[in-house]
Amino acid sequence: MDSAFQITLLPGDGIGPEIMSVAVDVLRTVGLQLGISFEFQTALVGGAAIDGTGHPIPSVTLDRCRESDGVLLAAIGGPKWDNLPAHLRPEQGLLGLRSGLNLFANLRPAQILPQLLNASSLKPDVVDGVDIMVVRELTGGIYFGQPKGIFTMESGEKRGVNTMAYTEGEIDRIGRVAFDTARQRRQKLCSVDKANVLDVSQLWRERMTLLSTEYPDVELSHLYVDNAAMQLIRCPKQFDTIVTGNLFGDILSDCAAMLTGSIGMLPSASLGASPPGVFEPVHGSAPDIAGEDKANPLAQVLSTSMLLRYGLSQPQAAMAIENAVLSVLNQGYRTVDIFSPGMKRVGCAEMGKLLVEAIGNG
Ligand code: NAD
């Protein structure tokens, strides 16, 4: 019986193909090392799909994703497609993927690696040891609530409207992902809302509190979003797992990410109720350095370790990749975005070779 994991690769645009190639080499190597087989198929998304098929997320791509065990995405977009009408822009590829696969949970880790302590704009003693996971609700809340739009009132004045709404079911399903995630980490979950002002947040807090009775081993706390933003900068080490809605999560996950100071290092996972999830770096397609072998592939590679851990339940393989990243950084190798004097500067492809070697030696 064939037990290979089916992985759909979506290299997308800009630096996407360069960093994806490194991620695939790394995945193949770790697979050989640990006896896990992968079968890869590549599909079009974003600008590449617009050029190839006229649509940012062709149905054949969605079908391939649905049939696979996990989806590895690089990045989409670039100036070439910036002037297309909104429904044909590359970003629609991302939205189409999220809604097509019903990915309602976005996991964004922000971990400070000791080797990159000085990359943060905060003082090293504030960020040393930071290891946070932000779990953001992705398909509900104010970005999707109805009514929405710009309406003309009787007076002739225009009024812009968005609606922040969550059902109990939507809160419970993201809550469960967050509690399960916290359980695999340091068993501390902070739910972020604005329950002092918003009714929708009062329901959010009520449901999270109710859910916590199912997870007696996880310590639940609550923070208002304004305080959470302050605490993330003041004392980020107090956090383990954070769960919050779409809008607050959008802002706080970027805030948490910047504690680490290096966008080329940050992975993410978007999960639904069942596989496949989509695993991708936080950064964009970096058109300014595309094709120059300058891209940092580590966010893509760490997205691959999230695929193994959260998408395929292969924590040992995930750890082998994370250890390889640490080993290469310990040896002083840096791509240009994380370079500092005294380190050894390498390109994207060379970084890939070093990772493959490190896994082989692991
Ligand atoms: P960006 O993340 O692509 O780049 C911002 C800066 O960070 C650039 O200077 C870039 O060179 C650098 N950078 C990003 N990733 C890097 C890496 N791995 N290694 C080294 N340097 C890296 O953001 P942007 O410039 O605002 O957007 C460029 C394009 O990407 C736009 O079309 C945008 O819409 C798209 N975008 C896509 C995604 C996604 O696919 N999820 C996310 C954000 C932006």
Side-chain angles (χ1 to χ4, degrees), residues 15 75-78 91 94 263-264 280 283-289 295-296 337:
I15 59 170
I76 52 104
E91 295 76 14
L94 282 186
I263 195 164
E280 60 179 308
H283 61 71
S285 59
D288 52 334
I289 55 167
N296 182 349
D337 57 309

Side-chain angles (χ1 to χ4, degrees), residues 254-298:
D254 271 10
C255 190
M258 276 305 100
L259 297 170
T260 69
S262 42
I263 195 164
M265 298 292 302
L266 297 166
S268 78
S270 298
L271 308 174
S274 55
V278 173
F279 302 84
E280 60 179 308
V282 165
H283 61 71
S285 59
D288 52 334
I289 55 167
E292 295 181 14
D293 194 34
K294 285 184 182 162
N296 182 349
L298 295 181

Side-chain angles (χ1 to χ4, degrees), residues 42-63:
T42 302
L44 293 172
V45 72
I50 295 170
D51 289 351
T53 70
H55 197 278
I57 177 95
S59 56
V60 60
T61 294
L62 264 183
D63 289 344

Side-chain angles (χ1 to χ4, degrees), residues 6-276:
Q6 306 292 322
I7 308 296
T8 299
L9 306 174
L10 305 176
D13 308 317
I15 59 170
E18 299 165 55
I19 57 177
M20 185 64 88
S21 157
V22 170
V24 170
D25 285 349
V26 164
L27 207 46
R28 278 212 177 98
T29 308
V30 87
L32 281 175
Q33 189 97 340
L34 297 176
I36 309 167
S37 352
F38 301 101
E39 273 174 18
F40 298 104
Q41 48 178 349
T42 302
L44 293 172
V45 72
I50 295 170
D51 289 351
T53 70
H55 197 278
I57 177 95
S59 56
V60 60
T61 294
L62 264 183
D63 289 344
R64 277 198 187 155
C65 291
R66 286 197 188 102
E67 286 157 14
S68 59
D69 298 302
V71 177
L72 205 50
L73 169 66
I76 52 104
K80 181 178 176 192
W81 305 281
D82 275 352
N83 295 322
L84 290 173
H87 69 285
L88 283 180
R89 302 256 316 250
E91 295 76 14
Q92 291 304 319
L94 282 186
L95 298 179
L97 206 53
R98 284 176 189 168
S99 60
L101 300 178
N102 202 10
L103 305 172
F104 63 85
N106 185 224
L107 271 60
R108 295 239 325 231
Q111 188 182 13
I112 293 271
L113 301 179
Q115 299 86 345
L116 300 179
L117 209 50
N118 289 322
S120 176
S121 48
L122 297 189
K123 291 180 197 138
D125 61 307
V126 174
V127 289
D128 190 11
V130 162
D131 181 3
I132 301 172
M133 178 71 83
V134 179
V135 179
R136 165 190 169 194
E137 200 289 326
L138 203 56
T139 51
I142 197 164
Y143 292 174
F144 296 94
Q146 292 291 342
K148 62 188 277 187
I150 299 174
F151 303 99
T152 305
M153 299 188 294
E154 272 180 22
S155 64
E157 192 184 1
K158 285 186 178 164
R159 182 166 181 261
V161 177
N162 288 92
T163 302
M164 189 187 271
Y166 275 115
T167 63
E168 291 175 316
E170 285 173 325
I171 301 169
D172 289 0
R173 67 180 187 175
I174 189 72
R176 287 212 159 80
V177 171
F179 276 103
D180 286 337
T181 304
R183 193 170 249 177
Q184 288 180 46
R185 292 171 48 89
R186 299 193 301 279
Q187 295 90 37
K188 271 180 66 182
L189 178 64
C190 178
S191 171
V192 173
D193 60 39
K194 190 72 182 166
N196 51 343
V197 179
L198 300 175
D199 300 276
V200 55
S201 282
Q202 283 163 23
L203 183 65
W204 179 281
R205 191 172 280 219
E206 197 182 296
R207 297 306 298 184
M208 288 294 166
T209 306
L210 199 61
L211 262 185
S212 71
T213 58
E214 291 176 32
Y215 297 85
D217 51 325
V218 177
E219 181 195 324
L220 175 69
S221 61
H222 303 274
L223 275 185
Y224 298 136
V225 62
D226 41 350
N227 190 13
M230 280 201 295
Q231 296 299 330
L232 266 176
I233 307 301
R234 192 187 71 83
C235 180
K237 272 179 263 191
Q238 69 185 284
F239 294 106
D240 173 36
T241 307
I242 292 175
V243 62
T244 189
N246 207 342
L247 172 64
F248 301 155
D250 193 359
I251 299 164
L252 290 183
S253 59
D254 271 10
C255 190
M258 276 305 100
L259 297 170
T260 69
S262 42
I263 195 164
M265 298 292 302
L266 297 166
S268 78
S270 298
L271 308 174
S274 55

